[in-house]
Amino acid sequence: MASKVPEKALNLIRNYPRVALNGLKPIENDYRYKSKPRRSRMKATQSGRGNKGQGQRMTLPRIGFEGGNTPFYLRIPKEPYYRGHHLRREYPPFSLLQLQRMIDLNRVNIDEPIDLNSIVNTNIIKINPGDQEFGINLTDEGADIFQSKVCIEVQWASEATIAAIERNGGMITTRYYNTECLEAICDTLGFFARGIPIPRCPLPPRDAFEYYTNPDSRGYLADPELVKKSRFKLAQKYGYEPPNYDTENDSELFKMKDPRQIFFGLNPGWIVSMKDKAIIKPKDPDYVEYYES
Amino acid sequence: MAATIARNFARIRGHVLRRNTPAMLFKHARRYNHDEVNNYTVPYFPEEAKKRSSDAEYPDIEVSTEDFKFVERLLPQKTVPIPDEQELYPTPSGWVPTNENLQPKEYGVRRTRNHMLPCYYKKHNNGRETVKIQRIYGDIWKLKEDLSGYFASNVEFPVDIQVHEVGRWILVRGNYTEQVAQFLLSKGF
């Protein structure tokens, strides 16, 4: 199956004239279209409006009017499935299989706690806070093959994903960030370039408060003792040994942020200077009180 | 008749409102000198203005360079890292590295920058399903022959394959993503 594409291309180049009149082009600045007057092609006629009647005299009935029948928009009742869709929070899915692939290919470091920032920094998935995206939803696809021990912080997780991570001795928490904090997390370089203080994360809104205080969903505002009980209960349900976080080797891995804190080791209210590679910490008592947790 | 009058009236009223409101806003808008606004409060209190001037005494700050290590780990990766060598393949997620011993001499397929196979499944709007292999070099027609031979032994039905010699890609008709990936892995790509 020999193709003749290269031969044809070579023939074309051989026969093509190098300089020709049809190859000429006018100079850019001198080349202008003539302005066309807006009018009908035949002068002083109906201008595309037809002959007589409502169309010509601009007395057409309103849009949706069906000549006396009950119009469609009144005949069919409302369907309010999408009410308030522009205000709803969106959590784009991110599966355990994708996370395992990232760990295999050295894209995330499992010796440190993983959070939204370290996942977004791989440039494989993107979160756009402007489109009402409030972080990632860790789905249970690939829960059976998941094998690594991680300390991860996500924004939404189902029961099966929680079980898959705790089966391997890992830790998972669900955490809420508002849009302002998410913009700082998803684009750290752009945020530090603005030279504004690191924001203080507010508590979740009323409709999300129940989820983030629930020990069964490993909410970051839940009571730690209830979370411990819930971990034991889930281990009984799925049939594995409950994880133990008190070992000395993993004391650095299983760290938690403050509920008001966005980044590890950096408090809200501090200002980062990328040029001087320094952090500015204001000492004004009013300022410190404002950013306290 | 009364209804039409009411409708027209409403329309006129709406039209008038729509035309006038932005114009009024423009009329009352002022161009502020921003330095003036920052340095002086409205209404004007001299004590407040003194606090904001350049001669004012600002509260203390502490500058630390030690904590900058926490900032460095927040910055995005500039390059894709090379994966570590492992004892067992495939890895838990099913990834396999390239094997140069299996690769034929006539042609080759390069991995993507993320160390993945360059075969892409697409479902078109008319329901057509295709799998595209990209990043091919060498004799593309030999690759096509080998692929059709693989399909003849592994798939019941005949599979259509399109070759684009200039664009260096191959298009397979139907959702045969797994078979194509298996073929490429068996050749060591």
Side-chain angles (χ1 to χ4, degrees), chain A:
Chain A
M1 196 174 281
S3 79
K4 291 180 180 176
V5 175
E7 287 177 19
K8 280 179 184 173
L10 284 170
N11 265 325
L12 196 72
I13 292 164
R14 229 167 266 146
N15 297 327
Y16 204 76
R18 292 195 181 175
V19 182
L21 277 176
N22 57 2
L24 292 175
K25 205 177 157 187
I27 305 164
E28 279 185 16
N29 292 336
D30 288 358
Y31 188 67
R32 274 177 220 144
Y33 282 108
K34 279 182 183 175
S35 62
K36 284 180 181 176
R38 286 190 171 190
R39 62 185 178 199
S40 65
R41 227 162 84 188
M42 300 158 79
K43 286 173 201 168
T45 51
Q46 294 155 340
S47 307
R49 292 201 136 267
N51 188 19
K52 291 205 286 190
Q54 289 178 323
Q56 198 178 39
R57 294 180 191 123
M58 298 169 79
T59 52
L60 282 167
R62 66 178 190 277
I63 288 170
F65 184 68
E66 294 183 13
N69 298 337
T70 312
F72 179 81
Y73 69 91
L74 296 175
R75 195 163 63 230
I76 305 295
K78 267 187 185 178
E79 299 183 3
Y81 314 124
Y82 299 112
R83 181 179 287 164
H85 67 92
H86 60 294
L87 299 171
R88 288 185 197 172
R89 289 186 304 281
E90 188 183 343
Y91 298 96
F94 175 69
S95 69
L96 281 169
L97 183 70
Q98 277 174 295
L99 180 64
Q100 185 67 62
R101 180 59 62 91
M102 278 185 186
I103 292 163
D104 289 350
L105 297 183
N106 222 353
R107 299 303 285 269
V108 289
N109 185 10
I110 54 169
D111 299 333
E112 290 172 352
I114 299 167
D115 59 349
L116 181 65
N117 179 55
S118 52
I119 291 167
V120 169
N121 275 351
T122 59
N123 288 325
I124 292 172
I125 66 157
K126 281 175 186 172
I127 297 291
N128 188 4
D131 291 351
Q132 295 293 112
E133 293 180 354
F134 276 75
I136 52 171
N137 171 16
L138 195 64
T139 56
D140 60 348
E141 187 190 344
D144 298 332
I145 58 105
F146 194 77
Q147 283 183 11
S148 40
K149 182 181 180 180
V150 290
C151 174
I152 191 167
E153 187 191 84
V154 294
Q155 279 62 52
W156 205 270
S158 66
E159 195 187 72
T161 49
I162 293 167
I165 282 170
E166 290 182 354
R167 188 187 66 213
N168 296 304
M171 187 198 243
I172 183 168
T173 45
T174 52
R175 167 74 197 257
Y176 171 81
Y177 294 110
N178 72 334
T179 314
E180 191 194 353
C181 296
L182 281 164
E183 276 168 2
I185 290 165
C186 296
D187 181 17
T188 43
L189 275 176
F191 175 74
F192 293 143
R194 288 167 70 191
I196 57 172
I198 296 167
R200 174 177 177 266
C201 190
L203 293 174
R206 194 178 291 174
D207 54 341
F209 201 81
E210 196 185 332
Y211 184 85
Y212 291 108
T213 51
N214 191 357
D216 292 339
S217 58
R218 307 288 183 270
Y220 71 116
L221 298 171
D223 186 10
E225 288 186 6
L226 288 176
V227 171
K228 224 177 237 179
K229 279 181 190 173
S230 176
R231 272 188 197 122
F232 181 76
K233 213 183 273 179
L234 196 70
Q236 295 286 311
K237 186 179 173 183
Y238 281 81
Y240 58 82
E241 286 187 7
N244 183 21
Y245 304 128
D246 302 330
T247 50
E248 290 178 4
N249 299 331
D250 303 328
S251 57
E252 286 192 4
L253 177 61
F254 297 119
K255 276 194 289 187
M256 288 274 283
K257 284 182 221 166
D258 192 80
R260 301 292 193 176
Q261 202 180 7
I262 305 177
F263 304 124
F264 278 106
L266 300 173
N267 286 353
W270 291 358
I271 300 161
V272 176
S273 165
M274 294 297 286
K275 195 179 175 185
D276 303 334
K277 298 202 170 182
I279 293 165
I280 299 158
K281 304 173 184 174
K283 278 182 178 176
D284 186 31
D286 291 349
Y287 188 90
V288 171
E289 194 188 342
Y290 178 77
Y291 281 104
E292 256 179 5
S293 68

